């Protein structure tokens, strides 16, 4: 396999398909050898074989295990093809780290971006505080709205009573002054 491609897979998966294939082959070869050796040892013990025959039988374990492993080659190749198709990154796929290398981002540029993010974060937090202040103002105005409506009704009544000459002009002036004060408070 291409060493560049293998390095690419190592970055993405933390292993390469070639590495997994080799580990799998080694594991199968080891399991076959150990199984055959243990089977032979148990067979020798069960038969109470003489030492010469036992040594001859044990000496044939390694070539037999090698032959058994060779018999598995076709299935191992199929398994290797499966690993390679599963754990191979297509040539047209970029990792996020490749995008930075492709665009030649420098450490200074990344630092500038981080500063910009920091400034935007600060602005966002300030905007959140401002919004909370505005929401408090809206709640205050909503709370004062019934008083404004009652003030408007009061002024209408004062005007009506003045026209009908029910309320003296001095009392109407007091109510008007009160209405002006309320208007000034609301402007604050």
């Amino acid at each position: 396999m291409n060493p560049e491609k293998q390095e690419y897979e190592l970055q993405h998966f933390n292993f390469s398909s070639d590495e997994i294939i080799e580990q799998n082959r080694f594991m199968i070869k080891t399991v076959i050898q150990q199984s055959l050796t243990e089977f032979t040892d148990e067979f020798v013990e069960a038969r109470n074989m003489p030492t010469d025959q036992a040594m001859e039988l044990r000496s044939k374990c390694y070539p037999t295990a090698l032959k058994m492993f060779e018999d598995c080659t076709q299935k191992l190749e199929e398994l290797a093809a499966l690993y390679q198709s599963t754990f191979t990154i297509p040539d047209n796929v970029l990792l996020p780290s490749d995008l930075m290398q492709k665009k030649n981002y420098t450490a200074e540029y990344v630092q500038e971006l981080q500063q910009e993010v920091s400034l935007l974060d600060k602005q966002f937090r300030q905007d959140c505080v401002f919004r909370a202040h505005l929401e408090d103002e809206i709640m205050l105005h909503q709370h004062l709205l019934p008083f404004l409506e009652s003030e408007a009704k009061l002024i209408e009544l004062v005007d009506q009573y003045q026209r009908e000459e029910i309320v003296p002009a001095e009392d109407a002036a007091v109510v008007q002054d009160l209405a002006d004060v309320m208007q000034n408070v609301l402007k604050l």
Side-chain angles (χ1 to χ4, degrees), residues 39-178:
F39 176 75
T40 303
D41 288 343
E42 287 180 20
F43 183 75
V44 166
E45 283 181 32
R47 300 279 182 173
N48 289 327
M49 293 180 112
T51 308
D52 296 351
Q53 287 178 337
M55 291 301 286
E56 183 180 339
L57 191 58
R58 286 187 180 119
S59 68
K60 292 181 182 177
C61 282
Y62 182 75
T64 305
L66 191 58
K67 177 69 175 129
M68 289 172 73
F69 180 73
E70 287 172 3
D71 290 344
C72 297
T73 304
Q74 181 184 358
K75 293 295 180 190
L76 287 174
E77 291 301 321
E78 291 173 15
L79 190 58
L82 177 66
Y83 283 139
Q84 286 178 338
S85 67
T86 304
F87 298 113
T88 298
I89 301 171
D91 292 332
N92 61 344
V93 174
L94 289 176
L95 296 176
S97 58
D98 295 336
L99 189 60
M100 286 184 65
Q101 293 171 2
K102 184 177 181 182
K103 291 187 177 182
N104 294 325
Y105 291 145
T106 61
E108 293 82 21
Y109 181 70
V110 171
Q111 187 175 10
E112 288 174 21
L113 289 176
Q114 288 172 338
Q115 287 175 346
E116 186 176 339
V117 166
S118 175
L119 289 173
L120 290 173
D121 183 52
K122 181 178 178 182
Q123 182 64 45
F124 175 75
R125 284 185 273 120
Q126 288 173 346
D127 290 348
C128 287
V129 169
F130 181 68
R131 181 179 177 194
H133 179 70
L134 286 178
E135 288 174 353
D136 289 345
E137 286 287 324
I138 289 171
M139 286 177 57
L140 175 66
H141 285 278
Q142 288 173 346
H143 181 69
L144 291 176
L145 189 60
F147 297 114
L148 287 174
E149 291 170 354
S150 60
E151 179 223 358
K153 288 177 186 175
L154 183 64
I155 290 174
E156 285 177 24
L157 280 174
V158 166
D159 287 343
Q160 180 184 356
Y161 290 158
Q162 261 184 332
R163 275 183 265 130
E164 296 174 4
E165 296 182 4
I166 298 175
V167 175
E170 305 87 42
D171 291 343
V174 169
V175 171
Q176 186 61 42
D177 289 344
L178 181 62

Side-chain angles (χ1 to χ4, degrees), residues 176-187:
Q176 186 61 42
D177 289 344
L178 181 62
D180 291 342
V181 168
M182 285 299 288
Q183 289 293 335
N184 289 337
V185 166
L186 288 176
K187 288 179 184 176

